[in-house]
Amino acid sequence: MQLKLKNPIVFFDLETTGINITADRIVEISYLKVYPNGKEVTTTYLVNPEREIPAEATAIHKITNEMVADKPTFKEIAKNIANDIEGCDIAGYNSNRFDVPLLMEEILRAGVDIDLRQRKFIDVQTIFHKKEQRTLSAAYKFYCGKELEGAHGAQADTLATYEVLKGQLDKYDDLVNDVDFLAEYSTQNKNADFAGRIVYDDKNVEIFNFGKYKGKPVSDILKNDPGYYSWMMQGDFALSTKKVLTEIKLRDFNK
């Protein structure tokens, strides 16, 4: 089954130095851009993270320090990536919780401005877990009937994710071949930031999604506990979280 698209959609996967969204770095990114007319373009970069790749990370994705020593840094390719995904909807496997927040952290760190707030985000893992509760390799075998060669390589995982989503649409009659539907179905929270620290409630009001003020409107907390803003801006929070927090603060100040 082919996807019914209004906008291009980018399937992507990252290999990284670790799983900390704010501290770790990308060592490989691969993305498949699918156009409404069916055209497909794949792009893959090995990336110099400008730090040592831990042995435990290399054991998973097989990317060594030597392999990336002469590769571009993320800052050198950030504009190219941002241009490729601008105006596109986004899809991945566990992407809403990990790949999208980490990618946006790298893009913001590189000083590239991109606004994805109007885009749709499909997390194929969420659909899979709601339906079958398995891993990507198992999902690929289950939906596509094939073994996943090169698992934990960004390009192999990206292409497999695309095929799995199409297989899910073929298998489940209640899944609608529509990006808006799939994005809503695969989203667990409506995030205001990419790290999920600030989310929207059922009245579309930004609320904190962690800590002592979890469930409380951000605007109220910034007004009643102004020191909380400073604490977050100085803390180990994602740049996208700090950006949204500042936007809310400025918006309320200008009212």
Side-chain angles (χ1 to χ4, degrees):
M1 180 181 291
Q2 295 302 308
L3 295 181
K4 295 178 182 177
L5 302 176
K6 299 174 184 176
N7 306 305
I9 187 169
V10 172
F11 290 77
F12 83 105
D13 185 72
L14 305 177
E15 302 304 333
T16 65
T17 59
I19 59 174
N20 186 309
I21 291 170
T22 60
D24 281 302
R25 301 291 187 269
I26 295 170
V27 297
E28 185 181 28
I29 177 171
S30 184
Y31 50 94
L32 170 67
K33 189 170 183 177
V34 184
Y35 293 82
N37 64 5
K39 178 183 176 182
E40 301 175 7
V41 179
T42 301
T43 303
T44 302
Y45 294 103
L46 279 174
V47 183
N48 184 340
E50 301 181 278
R51 61 175 60 187
E52 290 293 311
I53 303 173
E56 55 269 27
T58 296
I60 295 172
H61 52 54
K62 312 304 181 187
I63 299 172
T64 65
N65 292 299
E66 292 73 22
M67 290 170 62
V68 298
D70 61 347
K71 301 303 179 182
T73 65
F74 190 86
K75 188 172 184 178
E76 292 174 314
I77 60 175
K79 286 186 178 179
N80 290 340
I81 294 172
N83 288 338
D84 282 344
I85 68 177
E86 187 79 55
C88 299
D89 296 317
I90 307 294
Y93 195 87
N94 193 33
S95 49
N96 286 352
R97 291 190 297 174
F98 180 72
D99 297 85
V100 170
L102 199 151
L103 176 61
M104 289 307 301
E105 191 76 359
E106 288 273 42
I107 288 175
L108 290 171
R109 190 181 293 116
V112 176
D113 188 28
I114 182 172
D115 187 357
L116 297 180
R117 284 175 291 188
Q118 301 304 314
R119 306 272 52 89
K120 303 298 182 181
F121 296 87
I122 299 175
D123 194 325
V124 175
Q125 185 193 60
T126 300
I127 297 174
F128 186 37
H129 283 183
K130 284 185 175 182
K131 296 296 187 181
E132 304 297 341
Q133 304 290 319
R134 304 281 178 85
T135 64
L136 176 57
S137 294
Y140 191 62
K141 186 173 183 179
F142 183 85
Y143 291 110
C144 306
K146 295 180 281 187
E147 297 292 336
L148 178 52
E149 301 291 339
H152 299 299
Q155 182 169 317
D157 288 355
T158 293
L159 298 177
T161 299
Y162 176 45
E163 290 192 48
V164 167
L165 178 58
K166 292 190 290 183
Q168 289 171 331
L169 289 167
D170 285 329
K171 184 173 179 63
Y172 303 114
D173 292 338
D174 61 331
L175 289 182
V176 180
N177 190 351
D178 176 79
V179 169
D180 288 356
F181 173 87
L182 294 170
E184 182 176 354
Y185 188 88
S186 63
T187 298
Q188 295 173 323
N189 290 311
K190 186 179 179 183
N191 292 349
D193 68 329
F194 289 103
R197 295 289 193 168
I198 301 173
V199 300
Y200 293 100
D201 65 10
D202 56 3
K203 297 180 180 178
N204 216 37
V205 173
E206 299 102 338
I207 61 174
F208 285 112
N209 195 34
F210 74 100
K212 64 180 181 179
Y213 291 129
K214 185 174 182 178
K216 302 293 184 182
V218 175
S219 292
D220 290 353
I221 301 307
L222 294 182
K223 178 180 178 181
N224 298 325
D225 185 0
Y228 202 68
Y229 173 81
S230 298
W231 174 75
M232 287 191 64
M233 295 302 290
Q234 295 170 11
D236 186 25
F237 291 95
L239 294 176
S240 67
T241 302
K242 295 178 180 179
K243 182 180 180 182
V244 169
L245 191 67
T246 300
E247 288 174 351
I248 296 171
K249 182 179 176 68
L250 292 174
R251 181 190 67 200
D252 291 347
F253 177 79
N254 290 324
K255 281 184 178 179

